Amino acid sequence: MHLADFVAGSVGGAFGVAVGYPLDTVKVRIQTQRRFTGVWQCIHTTWKTEGVNGFYRGMSMPVTTVSISSSVVFGVYRNVLQCLHQLRSTSTGLDFLPTKVDIFLSGLSGGVAQVSVMAPADIVKVRMQCQMVHQGLDAQQPKYRGPMHCLLTIAREEGFLGLYKGAGALALRDGPSFATYFTVYHVICEQLSPPENTQPEWNVVLLAGGLSGMCGWCIGTPMDVIKSRLQVDGMGKRRYTGFFHCISQSIRTEGPGVLFKGLGLNCIRAFPVNMSVFAMYEVVVRLLRPKT
């Protein structure tokens, strides 16, 4: 088992959250609130009405849980990749390098595996980011006083399964997007690194990390929109009866383009965030795993 990948993924994930959280708040609000007509209008309104703190609402829990879920993603990815490599080598008697299909399937496994950890934290993050918009700034008392209070309130009012609202959409987002993420990263590093290099140069790591994040979000944004809408649905009057109703109702009322709300912002945010994630991941892996 590659423990270094679990540790490196944890550090990289936490660093990525810190870099990208303000734009994530803007993205979630655009996807779930019709009052925001664009990125700059949302940024201006949030800054004017809530100040800088409005961009960081509910951040403490994601830093912790994304650190854990990112550890799961990278750890599962590396270990599934190793298992596929061993299976192929055993069956043929030859030592092959991992194929792109191996990398795609390993990324898919890592993305789906982390949903059990990620889903409760993600619904808390989304509701904390949106509660001031839902309740209004003149609300006497916010419904959720903090991330832990939000978590416990959801569990009490909606049951334990309420913490996993939107988990299906989250799995459909993260499985394909992480499969794309790792595959694009591997391909770029492979194409831009000399054959004799076992480790990519740092400029290649940064470029490949940023571009792989953008490609991953191009695949994952439609399910990200549906996930966010299902997660905030319990904050007021319920609009959706389930996953398929949310998709059909959203498209019927706002057109097919609704599934790509926040795509541009996701791509802008993804480059620095995933550049940071892979940079920190490579730093920690190279420290913990001796170069062979």
Side-chain angles (χ1 to χ4, degrees), residues 223-243:
M223 285 299 102
D224 188 54
V225 173
I226 300 304
K227 171 204 68 82
S228 296
R229 292 188 171 208
L230 288 170
Q231 287 173 330
V232 300
D233 201 35
M235 296 181 71
K237 182 181 178 182
R238 294 191 182 278
R239 297 164 57 193
Y240 311 117
T241 58
F243 176 75

Side-chain angles (χ1 to χ4, degrees), residues 62 118 141 185 203 213 222 259:
M118 186 68 177
Q141 177 70 41
Y185 180 78
N203 59 333
L259 296 177

Side-chain angles (χ1 to χ4, degrees), residues 124-188:
V124 169
K125 173 187 76 71
V126 168
R127 291 201 180 183
M128 289 294 296
Q129 287 171 326
C130 293
Q131 81 162 335
M132 295 304 291
V133 179
H134 266 276
Q135 290 185 252
L137 294 171
D138 55 349
Q140 294 284 329
Q141 177 70 41
K143 181 175 182 178
Y144 307 122
R145 297 193 295 272
M148 281 306 300
H149 181 255
C150 179
L151 183 79
L152 296 173
T153 302
I154 294 170
R156 185 176 65 250
E157 294 181 352
E158 303 172 47
F160 178 76
L161 291 179
L163 296 172
Y164 286 86
K165 185 175 286 186
L170 182 62
L172 289 172
R173 182 196 76 176
D174 285 352
S177 63
F178 274 110
T180 304
Y181 182 63
F182 284 111
T183 305
V184 171
Y185 180 78
H186 174 80
V187 168
I188 293 175

